[in-house]
Amino acid sequence: QVQLVESGGGLVQAGGSLRLSCAASGRTRNNYAMGWFRQAPGKEREFVAAISWSGATIYYVDSVKGRFTISRDNAKNTVFLQMNSLKPDDTAVYYCAAGLLAVKLRGHEVDSWGQGTQVTVSS
């Protein structure tokens, strides 16, 4: 079982930036994909971004394209989500996820979840 621990959430004004990190530990399989989801109050959990093991394959939900950037450091078993030009609609609990392939994460086929970190964007 893979343990995922997120950090970097917080309160920011609209137009600001935050960088989320997620460290993986435990029985990390080789070549796993990682990604980010978010869930706002009263809404379903939404896919945000995913990255393959090599970093060659990346997916984003349309609403964050051009504003968010996902990256990873395999030497540190860590994935990052750089969030720029934040909007109040980005307010949610952000969850880190790990799975077999980036395309499967995009389809919500997740093997492991983190505990979530709150991101609040004020207007």
Side-chain angles (χ1 to χ4, degrees), residues 38-75:
R38 65 186 180 185
Q39 188 166 19
K43 295 187 177 181
E44 294 186 352
R45 192 168 296 189
E46 172 190 39
F47 168 80
V48 175
I51 185 169
S52 63
W53 170 260
S54 68
T57 301
I58 289 176
Y59 299 104
Y60 295 103
V61 67
D62 286 347
S63 59
V64 308
K65 286 180 180 177
R67 300 188 299 121
F68 290 11
T69 301
I70 189 171
S71 60
R72 66 188 296 163
D73 182 344
N74 289 338

Side-chain angles (χ1 to χ4, degrees), residues 16-103:
S17 298
L18 282 174
R19 189 190 194 209
L20 304 183
S21 299
C22 172
S25 61
R27 294 184 177 181
T28 55
R29 63 158 63 118
N30 292 331
N31 302 333
Y32 56 93
M34 297 188 75
W36 293 93
F37 289 72
R38 65 186 180 185
Q39 188 166 19
K43 295 187 177 181
E44 294 186 352
R45 192 168 296 189
E46 172 190 39
F47 168 80
V48 175
I51 185 169
S52 63
W53 170 260
S54 68
T57 301
I58 289 176
Y59 299 104
Y60 295 103
V61 67
D62 286 347
S63 59
V64 308
K65 286 180 180 177
R67 300 188 299 121
F68 290 11
T69 301
I70 189 171
S71 60
R72 66 188 296 163
D73 182 344
N74 289 338
K76 297 181 179 180
N77 289 328
T78 301
V79 66
F80 306 97
L81 187 67
Q82 178 66 44
M83 305 186 294
N84 299 329
S85 302
L86 282 162
K87 305 175 181 179
D89 284 350
D90 295 318
T91 296
V93 177
Y94 283 70
Y95 295 91
C96 180
L100 185 60
L101 296 171
V103 65

